[in-house]
């Protein structure tokens, strides 16, 4: 049966999906997708998967896609980041039986994408992208889709989208921000760019950006004419966004934790979701925020969630008639609601520093060490200090390691040559020696090979022939290869 394309693919395979949950690294895992689907999401993406890792690592495939089958989790699109046509297609071939389409990530603006040369940092390499999509469209049994960011110029964005369509892309998600618009500099997404792309291509288009509630979804579809709307942060703060509801936070949190019991995922994912759901409440109960950061088990997270619920219920019971939400929130902090990311000037003001005229984000104020030392700790070190109050960041207290005689790296404590493993391996191989400290047994293996050879020929007290030497050298070389691998 030929694979469906364009509008037919969107109507029949994706069931005319209008409400879409975005691919989010470590955040759109199976448990969260199931929660979102229960509350109005019609299509979900997997987290962004690294094509090269997916291709070589069976555990990575099992953890991210090959786990327990779940018929509820369809339609589903698997997203990959890649910069090599062959690697991308080979990874997609391993994934195509578990999804309804394969998406190429051309929208990630983060530094890791820049270092890995993928995501939005491929948007100028049109020849490469054409080859990747052409090959995928030819080899895969499911359609290929793309998620992109826009260029500052609308005309260039339109030509970019048309190029992807011509190469074989069957559905396009357009995030209306440039790759420079991220974090506190994100700003407002341009629906004008999205509308121009929608008018210029014949394939279905999803819009991404500026979606905080259901009315935003409806307005975006009306203004841009897109087939569907994708949301990321709006969904993380309110999984019932597509239902047009703002439920109590603990209702969503308890339902999610219940799903996690059935479909486990790494604890870091669960903790991150609770931080998003309880974001506004954790500004009020800072101690519980710290407990959530330090907890090591799912049961511990459930306990923190229960305590947050009790605190909020107690606050509701003591609430005065006519009392309004604080901190300028549209709802009380225990209700699921959007988090409006502060811009550079607001962030600088929060940190007690002045922004520059260009609006560049100012550095946050550093705090003194709890012990009153003059050493200033970064935000990351402060978090580590909270988890382990006895931790010291004084460089003079760091343990001193004995150095390798050859290269200066730390030497093995039990190395017979006083070297690091790399240098020890080279020397032990060269001298046909043993180093039990590093588990290198070149001499022992060599002697065993000679004994085995002599037992095979039946010679008593044999002299070492050239053939024996060759055999022994082969054994040593094999040991060196095994050690290296």
């Amino acid at each position: 049966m030929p694979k469906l394309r364009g509008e037919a693919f969107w109507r029949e395979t994706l069931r005319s999906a209008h409400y879409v949950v975005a691919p989010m690294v470590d955040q759109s895992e199976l448990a969260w997708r199931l929660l979102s689907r229960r509350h109005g999401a019609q299509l979900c993406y997997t987290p962004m998967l690294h094509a090269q890792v997916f291709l070589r690592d069976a555990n990575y495939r099992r953890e991210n896609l090959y786990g327990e089958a779940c018929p509820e989790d369809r339609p589903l699109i698997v997203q990959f980041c890649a910069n090599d046509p062959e690697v991308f297609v080979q990874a997609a071939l391993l994934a195509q039986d578990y999804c309804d389409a394969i998406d190429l990530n051309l929208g990630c603006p983060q530094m890791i994408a820049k270092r890995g040369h993928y995501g939005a940092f491929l948007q100028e390499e049109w020849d490469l992208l054409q080859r990747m999509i052409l090959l995928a469209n030819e080899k895969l049994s499911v359609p290929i889709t793309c998620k992109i960011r826009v260029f500052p110029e609308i005309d260039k964005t339109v030509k970019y989208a048309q190029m992807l369509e011509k190469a074989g892309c069957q559905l396009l998600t357009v995030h209306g921000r440039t790759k420079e618009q991220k974090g506190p500099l994100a700003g407002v997404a341009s629906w004008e760019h999205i509308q121009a792309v929608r008018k210029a291509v014949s394939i279905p288009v999803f819009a991404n950006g500026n979606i905080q509630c259901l009315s935003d979804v409806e307005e975006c579809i009306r203004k841009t004419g897109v087939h569907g709307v994708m949301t990321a942060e709006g969904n993380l703060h309110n999984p019932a966004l597509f239902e047009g509801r703002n439920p109590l936070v603990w209702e969503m949190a308890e339902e999610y934790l219940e799903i996690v019991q059935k479909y486990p995922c790494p604890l870091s994912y669960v903790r991150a979701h609770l931080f998003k759901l309880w974001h506004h409440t954790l500004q009020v109960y800072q101690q519980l925020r710290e407990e959530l950061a330090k907890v090591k088990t799912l049961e511990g997270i459930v306990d923190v969630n229960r305590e947050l619920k009790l605190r909020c219920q107690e606050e509701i019971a003591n609430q005065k008639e006519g009392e309004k939400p604080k901190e300028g929130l549209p709802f009380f902090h225990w209700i699921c609601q959007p988090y409006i990311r502060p811009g550079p000037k607001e962030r600088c003001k929060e940190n007690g520093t002045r922004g520059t005229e260009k609006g560049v984000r100012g550095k946050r104020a550093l705090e003194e060490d709890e012990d009153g030392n003059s050493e200033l700790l970064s935000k990351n070190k402060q978090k580590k200090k909270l988890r382990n109050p006895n931790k010291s960041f004084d460089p003079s207290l760091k343990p001193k390691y004995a150095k390798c005689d050859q290269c200066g790296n730390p030497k093995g404590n039990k190395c017979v040559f006083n070297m690091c493993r790399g240098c020890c391996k080279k020397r032990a191989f060269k001298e046909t020696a043993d180093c039990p400290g590093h588990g290198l047994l070149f001499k022992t293996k060599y002697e065993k090979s000679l004994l085995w050879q002599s037992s095979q020929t039946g010679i008593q007290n044999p002299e070492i022939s050239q053939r024996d030497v060759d055999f022994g050298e082969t054994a040593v070389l094999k040991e060196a290869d095994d050690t290296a691998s």
Side-chain angles (χ1 to χ4, degrees):
M1 179 181 175
K3 61 185 175 185
L4 298 175
R5 300 175 181 273
E7 291 273 352
F9 160 63
W10 173 70
R11 275 195 318 273
E12 297 182 33
T13 305
L14 302 186
R15 306 168 195 167
S16 300
H18 297 297
Y19 304 149
V20 186
V21 175
M24 298 174 283
V25 177
D26 298 344
Q27 293 284 266
S28 54
E29 82 286 356
L30 175 58
W32 188 260
R33 297 197 300 267
L34 292 177
L35 177 70
S36 301
R37 290 180 191 276
R38 290 182 184 181
H39 295 282
Q42 298 166 336
L43 170 64
C44 293
Y45 285 62
T46 66
M48 181 189 74
L49 306 178
H50 197 293
Q52 195 169 46
V53 180
F54 192 87
L55 185 59
R56 71 167 186 255
D57 191 336
N59 288 331
Y60 186 78
R61 294 195 293 272
R62 185 177 63 255
E63 291 167 3
N64 290 282
L65 192 62
Y66 290 4
E68 190 171 350
C70 184
E72 301 170 60
D73 191 33
R74 300 296 279 269
L76 177 69
I77 296 180
V78 173
Q79 188 187 71
F80 285 110
C81 65
N83 56 23
D84 181 282
E86 286 294 338
V87 171
F88 173 54
V89 171
Q90 291 303 314
L93 286 169
L94 292 173
Q96 66 179 1
D97 293 337
Y98 298 84
C99 63
D100 299 288
I102 299 293
D103 187 78
L104 176 61
N105 183 323
L106 301 176
C108 181
Q110 303 304 325
M111 186 54 64
I112 191 171
K114 185 175 183 179
R115 289 197 297 266
H117 192 54
Y118 57 79
F121 298 93
L122 294 178
Q123 66 178 16
E124 296 285 359
E125 301 187 33
W126 291 15
D127 288 341
L128 171 62
L129 297 181
Q130 280 181 317
R131 294 201 308 275
M132 293 177 74
I133 297 167
L134 280 167
L135 186 62
N137 193 41
E138 176 188 343
K139 299 287 187 183
L140 299 179
S141 62
V142 295
I144 177 76
T145 70
C146 297
K147 184 172 187 291
I148 66 171
R149 284 199 169 219
V150 300
F151 291 96
E153 307 84 7
I154 291 180
D155 289 346
K156 188 173 182 179
T157 303
V158 166
K159 290 177 182 177
Y160 181 40
Q162 290 173 330
M163 178 273 293
L164 295 172
E165 178 187 18
K166 187 176 179 180
C169 176
Q170 302 303 320
L171 183 146
L172 197 60
T173 300
V174 184
H175 187 159
R177 295 184 175 92
T178 65
K179 70 176 185 292
E180 290 77 24
Q181 289 181 278
K182 58 184 180 179
L185 301 177
V188 178
S190 171
W191 287 356
E192 188 180 358
H193 281 70
I194 299 172
Q195 182 186 38
V197 170
R198 171 69 190 97
K199 290 180 178 179
V201 299
S202 59
I203 57 176
V205 175
F206 290 158
N208 185 208
N210 302 347
I211 306 301
Q212 299 288 351
C213 56
L214 186 60
S215 61
D216 293 336
V217 175
E218 295 165 348
E219 184 182 3
C220 182
I221 293 175
R222 180 174 57 81
K223 286 189 174 181
T224 63
V226 292
H227 294 71
V229 171
M230 176 184 286
T231 181
E233 286 204 5
N235 164 262
L236 291 176
H237 288 278
N238 181 11
L241 181 151
F242 290 129
E243 290 182 319
R245 294 195 305 120
N246 295 88
L248 296 166
V249 173
W250 63 78
E251 288 181 2
M252 294 293 98
E254 287 174 346
E255 188 175 355
Y256 170 66
L257 291 170
E258 191 177 301
I259 297 172
V260 171
Q261 299 279 0
K262 185 176 181 182
Y263 299 101
C265 63
L267 199 67
S268 59
Y269 298 9
V270 182
R271 183 185 289 109
H273 281 303
L274 268 290
F275 269 120
K276 291 286 187 182
L277 286 170
W278 285 109
H279 175 83
H280 298 293
T281 300
L282 291 172
Q283 312 306 310
V284 178
Y285 301 113
Q286 290 286 337
Q287 182 58 41
L288 289 174
R289 179 185 179 86
E290 294 168 12
E291 287 185 25
L292 182 58
K294 291 187 290 186
V295 70
K296 302 293 185 183
T297 64
L298 182 61
E299 292 72 20
I301 288 181
V302 171
D303 290 341
V304 174
N305 184 70
R306 187 183 299 113
E307 182 61 28
L308 283 164
K309 174 182 176 179
L310 292 173
R311 297 279 184 95
C312 290
Q313 289 177 331
E314 184 179 344
E315 196 173 333
I316 292 170
N318 297 329
Q319 197 174 11
K320 297 177 181 178
E321 187 176 350
E323 189 174 340
K324 294 183 178 180
K326 299 177 182 177
E327 305 298 331
L329 297 177
F331 305 103
F332 289 102
H333 60 78
W334 53 79
I335 295 174
C336 290
Q337 58 192 295
Y339 165 62
I340 308 300
R341 190 189 297 273
K345 290 183 180 179
E346 290 88 345
R347 187 67 64 92
C348 291
K349 188 175 181 181
E350 285 178 9
N351 295 330
T353 58
R354 293 182 61 188
T356 64
E357 291 181 359
K358 295 182 180 180
V360 177
R361 177 182 175 182
K363 292 184 178 179
R364 60 171 179 76
L366 295 174
E367 299 177 11
E368 285 194 356
D369 191 350
E370 290 180 357
D371 298 328
N373 298 330
S374 59
E375 178 192 4
L376 298 178
L377 299 182
S378 68
K379 189 175 182 179
N380 195 33
K381 288 181 178 178
Q382 289 174 30
K383 288 180 179 177
K384 291 180 180 178
K385 189 80 173 176
L386 284 172
R387 291 194 292 269
N388 182 6
N390 297 322
K391 187 173 182 64
S392 172
F393 297 98
D394 185 351
S396 64
L397 299 179
K398 288 186 177 180
K400 303 296 182 183
Y401 296 101
K403 293 183 178 179
C404 170
D405 291 345
Q406 287 288 104
C407 66
N409 287 327
K411 77 176 185 70
N413 290 332
K414 298 180 180 179
C415 178
V416 297
F417 300 116
N418 292 319
M419 292 181 175
C420 66
R421 181 177 175 80
C423 296
C424 174
K425 183 172 68 176
K426 292 176 184 176
R427 180 165 174 180
F429 172 69
K430 184 177 180 180
E431 298 180 6
T432 317
D434 288 349
C435 177
H438 280 128
L440 303 174
L441 304 175
F442 294 114
K443 180 181 178 182
T444 300
K445 293 287 181 71
Y446 174 63
E447 290 174 348
K448 284 184 178 180
S449 71
L450 294 181
L451 288 172
W452 181 85
Q453 181 69 11
S454 65
S455 68
Q456 291 295 308
T457 57
I459 300 174
Q460 298 297 324
N461 298 322
E463 293 182 3
I464 298 175
S465 64
Q466 183 60 43
R467 183 184 172 197
D468 295 333
V469 172
D470 292 342
F471 185 88
E473 287 179 348
T474 301
V476 171
L477 287 171
K478 184 177 186 304
E479 169 66 15
D481 288 342
D482 292 343
T483 304
S485 62

